[in-house]
Amino acid sequence: MGLIRGSRLLAWIAATAALLTALTAQPASAADSPTMTKLSLGTDQFKLTDTSFASAASTLYNNHLTSHASLTDVVTTDFTKNSAGASDPWMNLRLMRACTGTETKALPPAATKTAWCWSHDHTDDTNAHWWPQGLSTTGTADGSDGAIQGRRVTAVSWHYRTLSDETSAGCKTNNLLKVTFLDRDTGKYRHVLLAEPTDAGADFTFVTGHGGGIVWYANYLYVTDTSHGIRVFDINKLAKVDTYGSGVSTYGIDSAGRSSACGYPYVLPEVHYYKQAGTPSDCSGNTIDPEQLCFSWLSLDKSGGAPYKLVAGEWQGYVDGGRVVRYQLNPSGSASYPGLLNLSGGKTVIEDAWAASRYRGLQGGMTWTDSQGVLNFAFHKGCGTKPGVYSHTWEGDTRAGTTCGDGGNWSAGPPQALSYWPKLGTEQVDELWGLTEGICPGSDLTAAHPEFKAATEETDVCWKYAGTDNLSLRAVFSVGFTDPAVQNLH
């Protein structure tokens, strides 16, 4: 959650202290152990080292990607033609829409401040190849007026999924990553390819990973790489490529010096890559490696005073005890490495680490320190296309939690990331943002690809869905952070 300084912090405390006091004071139920257990780490356990691409990214940006772009360019420029001058509707800015029918089940059972579904005209809502994962906003990025470069934007990470009987190659590589910039004031959005500089900045390639977590802090986007660590991309290095359009399937700089990015008009270069020393033995959710972390989701905690924390969590779908590790961030105005992870002895500094002792399947989360100095946690747990679970807990909480078996308490889809948006201009809004990723597969998809199966239980939102086309359960939403219908859930 974003830190709110001075009088704004006091205003937030006044608005939430009574709620959080009541929640913290609730008696324990039948459960007899804490939901969260603080961990004692080894000397370098879960610490990351930085591979810097900053110099290569600058060379790429200054010498090869010389058509520089701003965030405003990305969310307002409406291309109607491709780079060859031909009409190409795929290039247009896309527009979020109201969710309708069954897809409203992807929204939480609380009053929503924002409730959007993706463009149907461009199949972002039902595409079986591209899956939305992480979410973060300019509201957390700056903590003052909710804007970066004058725009109020949500960023969503997506990964590409190669289906059965398909070959993973080129711009259709499994786990290829892109990010979407969505203007909250217009509902318009555009996809941008994430790129890593190569050849000392003379070229670039695409980036792969699950993209389960994303955090926007200052001018940086932090994106998870599940088995290895966290990649960082610089908003100030957004650039327009030379060749773009729906028929373009190339990337990088060609022999003629022309750039392309898998058809997208804009590219976002990587500037840092924080890696752990080893690779986890398993990130499939079956086994917890005691020494290595699976980087499944991210959030930003700016509460409780300096330093700010980058919160990294694990999805462990079949065992309890996924870890939550909070890394220290340098202030955006720091003299050295502003807005980047704090380093000591060449390794990242860890604020603290926790095990979700009585939770499993966490697909998004966040932490904040309340006015009493108590560390709070919130988690999203997915239950397939059944209603998911939102859980608010805190250090020392021993209440029994809601499970998928209880029927859930949240949106179907399943829910993914959590992100806090404190202010719009001078207005305190205290919004909690999230998203869902799922679809109900249509008969065409289930017939062609056996990994997609029809629902077999009545509690599943997709129960008895028999349409030919896929049905969207993908939404972007916000609710009131202090709404009791949200924070009283467990």
Side-chain angles (χ1 to χ4, degrees), residues 56 58-68 198-204 239-242 253 257-259:
S58 292
T59 298
L60 180 67
Y61 183 71
N62 292 324
N63 297 341
H64 303 284
L65 296 175
T66 55
S67 182
H68 299 164
T198 61
D199 301 329
D203 201 354
F204 67 87
K240 180 173 171 289
V241 296
D242 300 311
I253 312 295
R258 293 183 61 80
S259 57

Side-chain angles (χ1 to χ4, degrees), residues 304-319:
Y308 297 162
K309 277 77 66 175
L310 182 72
V311 185
E314 288 186 307
W315 175 84
Q316 296 289 350
Y318 310 104
V319 291

Side-chain angles (χ1 to χ4, degrees), residues 21 74 90 98 137 274 304 323 344 347 369 425 429 434 447 464 468 483-484:
T21 298
V74 171
W90 185 82
T137 76
Y274 296 99
R323 281 76 56 94
S344 177
K347 297 182 183 296
T369 302
V429 294
K464 290 189 175 180
T468 301
D483 184 347

Side-chain angles (χ1 to χ4, degrees), residues 181-206:
F181 293 106
L182 163 59
D183 190 322
R184 71 168 290 161
D185 295 314
T186 66
K188 294 181 178 182
Y189 67 92
R190 180 173 295 286
H191 303 309
V192 172
L193 188 71
L194 298 176
E196 181 177 281
T198 61
D199 301 329
D203 201 354
F204 67 87
T205 187
F206 54 71

